Amino acid sequence: MRSGLVAALLCASIATAQDHAAHGAAKTPRFALGSSAAVDGSGTIWAVHLDGGRVVVRQSAGVGQLWSAPVPLSAPEERIEADGDARPKIAVGGVNELYVTWTHPLAKPYTGEIRFVRSVDGGRTFSAPMTVHRDRQEITHRFDSVAVSQRGQVFVAWIDRRDAVLAKERGADYRGAAVYYAVSDDRGASFRGDFKVGDHSCECCRIAMRPRSDGGMDALWRHVFEPNVRDHALAVLEPDGAVTDLHRATFDDWRIDACPHHGPSLVADGAGTLHSVWFAQSSDDAGAFYGRLIDGKVEGQRKLGGGAAEHPDIAAAGNSVVVVWKEFDGNVTRLRAMTSDDRGAHWSERELGSTTDASGQPQLLQIGERFVVFWNTRADGLTLTGISR
Amino acid sequence: MSVLRRLLCLSLLLLSPFVQAEPRLTPFDAGSPAALRQANAGHAFVLVFWSVHCAPCFAEMAQWRAYRKQFPGIPIVQVATESLDESAAIVNVLDRYDAGTTGHRAFADDYAEKIRYAVDPAWRGETPKVYFYDREHKRIARSGALDPDWARRWFEQQSR
């Protein structure tokens, strides 16, 4: 032991130099793959991701155009979570508003705060980050989602464990976590909340939201139905905090106490029919699925791709519906899509691209009449690929 | 620093138990599953994947510690599915739920699908995911919170 101490002292200068090198690398992580994008009224694409440990925003004029230099939105000292479904999110409102959320992990594992930043001048300036929820316990507030309603109100939803913590204090059992949300009436200057959507959500999947024509928001999330079925629930979030029509939306009967980290997406076509993609592993089938969610039933459910499909996203406009996903075959990750021109009755499938290194989750954007896939890859960075119909 | 002092330092480092402590996290890459089978040829072992997002995984840390103590002949390799870039978050969980243990691993990088594929092409990334390898390395894959009675029976069987 004494020799160890002597060695430690003697070698202090060497160790210090090595430590600095190692810490330096850790403090400036590689360009993170977890990223999100949104399109503003002029067709400019806005992307957020983690760069050098900070949430940054960048813009591009479209497919084939360069991305602007990153503008940091978070403080250098703030820890950020940015992988998979827990990546930073961005939404666009009106003409000039940009809204960004992310999760700031706290000291205790699996705890966090939902942070929010806005621009009301088309991305020229951004506000300082604020915390969205009133509850400030050191507990889970994670897996943020942000969307803007037809009336311009900003909805932020997240996974919250306050009810699980209370139950535990009382010695009661509690399945999973809960979904909460908050609403801003003043373009993100302040939020009202926290409104509870429902008990017993899954703990580690993103929440899908899509604006309804009546000013509310449809929300779809992985739930934990009794006893441990991790299928999805759908509900309407009203701007006043009321939650209506909460019901089971998918029926794969995935019974598991696990963390899939694989959340759903939700859109509506021109006739108002909800189309969704999600991930499930039932006893007889596993994979990514598409289906129309109609009155508590799934219509036209089909499995995506060749079985290894993961992290799908969906977009719709008029009679067109587009689904994208990625699929790894052991060597190559392929970006694949299927498109329908008759609201999901018939589909055609194609490959859009591929990469032989790490990649994030693909996201569908609509630019005017065109669908575009946003995909962050280690090899090529932020990519945009148009889908011809 | 003089060459002499460097040499002295190096030799003391080699001798010293103080600095030979195992690092808290070592990388697990696409070559690791084969390397583990080779290192454990003819022996049973368990491969446990967990995530910093996975509350059920934290709850099972104590269980793995108990199995390790009770069945010391069966190696239990625990791997975080986050990349080593996320070391701070991983170690934060370990400090709270598995303090004092060594031998933990994390994905070597964020090309997670490649590492997962090398483990099991059918594994879709959900955690906890556990592979129980018997002496012939026939394996049983389990997703989600483990049935402790089943696991105990497996350990007892393999220890006979």
Side-chain angles (χ1 to χ4, degrees), chain A residues 29-101:
Chain A
R30 290 170 301 177
F31 184 102
L33 294 168
S35 46
S36 304
V39 182
D40 71 17
S42 68
T44 298
I45 300 157
W46 295 86
V48 286
H49 61 89
L50 205 64
D51 193 4
R54 299 169 80 176
V55 176
V56 298
V57 63
R58 298 163 77 184
Q59 57 175 297
S60 169
V63 178
Q65 305 296 310
L66 293 174
W67 289 92
S68 65
V71 176
L73 302 180
S74 63
E77 65 276 9
E78 181 175 345
R79 276 178 61 213
I80 315 285
E81 202 165 75
D83 68 313
D85 276 7
R87 60 190 184 268
K89 312 288 191 318
I90 183 167
V92 165
V95 183
N96 284 318
E97 299 93 35
L98 295 168
Y99 304 118
V100 178
T101 60

Side-chain angles (χ1 to χ4, degrees), chain A residues 1 3-8 10-11 13-14 30 33 79 81 83 86 106-110 142-143 203-204 256-262 279 281 286-287 307-310 326 328-331 333 355-359 378, chain B residues 1 5-6 8-10 12-13 15-19 51-58 82-83 85-86 88-89 92-93 96-97 108-117 121-129 143-145:
Chain A
M1 198 65 205
S3 71
L5 200 60
V6 173
L10 262 175
C11 302
S13 54
I14 290 179
R30 290 170 301 177
L33 294 168
R79 276 178 61 213
E81 202 165 75
D83 68 313
L106 302 173
K108 264 166 79 176
Y110 201 62
R142 289 157 62 103
F143 290 93
E203 299 100 320
C204 53
I256 194 166
D257 291 307
C259 170
H261 202 181
H262 213 141
F279 177 79
Q281 294 187 46
E310 58 180 19
K326 63 178 195 169
F328 182 65
D329 69 2
N331 294 303
T333 304
T355 188
T356 53
D357 203 339
S359 59
R378 175 75 67 231
Chain B
M1 190 182 284
R5 193 171 159 201
R6 265 177 192 278
L8 183 62
C9 169
L10 190 67
L12 281 171
L13 274 173
L15 288 170
S16 163
F18 179 71
V19 286
S51 158
V52 300
H53 297 295
C54 171
C57 299
F58 306 164
E82 281 75 30
S83 83
D85 284 351
E86 311 280 327
N92 192 25
V93 175
R96 196 165 289 255
Y97 293 94
D109 54 47
D110 58 2
Y111 199 179
E113 48 264 67
K114 183 156 192 160
I115 302 173
R116 282 201 326 251
Y117 194 92
W123 175 31
R124 316 306 298 282
E126 74 281 4
T127 52
K129 182 84 186 185
S143 289

Side-chain angles (χ1 to χ4, degrees), chain A residues 311-322:
Chain A
H311 300 298
D313 193 27
I314 189 165
N319 290 327
S320 297
V321 186
V322 183

